[in-house]
Amino acid sequence: MSGPHLVVLGLIAAGKSTVADRVAAELGRPVLDSDRQVEALTGRTGGAIAEAEGVAALHELEASVLLGALSLPEPVVISAAASTVESARCRAALERRATVVWLDLVPEEAHRRATAQTHRRTISLAALRKLAERRRPLFVALADLRLDATEPIDALVGAVLAVAPPAPS
């Protein structure tokens, strides 16, 4: 546990936003959600940005959003985009400034969940498998806690609350 912020990471559709929202409410802390912040900043969903400007532009924006959130002085709960683990700057900031919870989800389930939602960028199962393979060791290296994202939300929230960094006195 290395910092004041609590960051929830995982593949697309792992439940990061849902868990982060519930944990933040329980802790009485603000929640910063990557998807919502990207949309607030640009007026477009991540899917629309990826389609118009490319996935690299979306990932750059997602990294910027995370780095901004991690620079805040007061502890917050952050639902971070999965792409951020591929940025060396983001990984270094996470190691210094956050307790990281990884919601681990197999690509097949992530794809099933993601295709049921309209705000996400379109990604094939094959592409998601490649991303998962590339990102898995990064998630493993960063995670202070790994949770099975198929567990019930109440169980996930309880487990995250157990490792949440204490509020500053």
Side-chain angles (χ1 to χ4, degrees):
M1 317 301 165
S2 38
H5 304 297
L6 181 69
V7 176
V8 182
L9 280 171
L11 288 178
I12 188 170
K16 299 179 297 282
S17 297
T18 302
V19 170
D21 287 345
R22 293 259 317 264
V23 167
E26 287 285 331
L27 295 173
R29 294 185 189 167
V31 64
L32 298 175
D33 180 274
S34 179
D35 291 342
R36 292 188 292 251
Q37 285 189 287
V38 163
E39 194 163 350
L41 287 168
T42 66
R44 298 179 293 165
T45 65
I49 294 167
E51 188 175 311
E53 298 171 34
V55 174
L58 172 62
H59 290 176
E60 200 172 297
L61 182 56
E62 290 168 337
S64 176
V65 163
L66 176 61
L67 292 169
L70 290 172
S71 72
L72 295 170
E74 294 299 318
V76 296
V77 177
I78 302 165
S79 171
S83 67
T84 58
V85 300
E86 294 192 68
S87 160
R89 288 178 51 221
C90 287
R91 288 193 309 273
L94 285 163
E95 289 172 353
R96 284 190 319 272
R97 302 275 302 150
T99 296
V100 177
V101 175
W102 170 33
L103 299 181
D104 189 9
L105 189 64
V106 296
E108 293 75 15
E109 178 61 13
H111 187 261
R112 186 192 67 73
R113 291 180 184 187
T115 55
Q117 300 167 337
T118 58
H119 69 285
R120 304 208 185 272
R121 71 182 177 95
T122 303
I123 186 167
S124 71
L125 178 56
L128 188 54
R129 283 181 177 138
K130 285 181 183 175
L131 283 176
E133 183 179 325
R134 188 171 70 228
R135 292 175 179 168
R136 184 173 189 78
L138 302 171
F139 287 137
V140 167
L142 283 171
D144 295 299
L145 176 66
R146 179 210 158 266
L147 297 172
D148 177 347
T150 63
E151 291 296 317
I153 291 295
D154 287 343
L156 295 172
V157 170
V160 174
L161 289 170
V163 301
S169 350

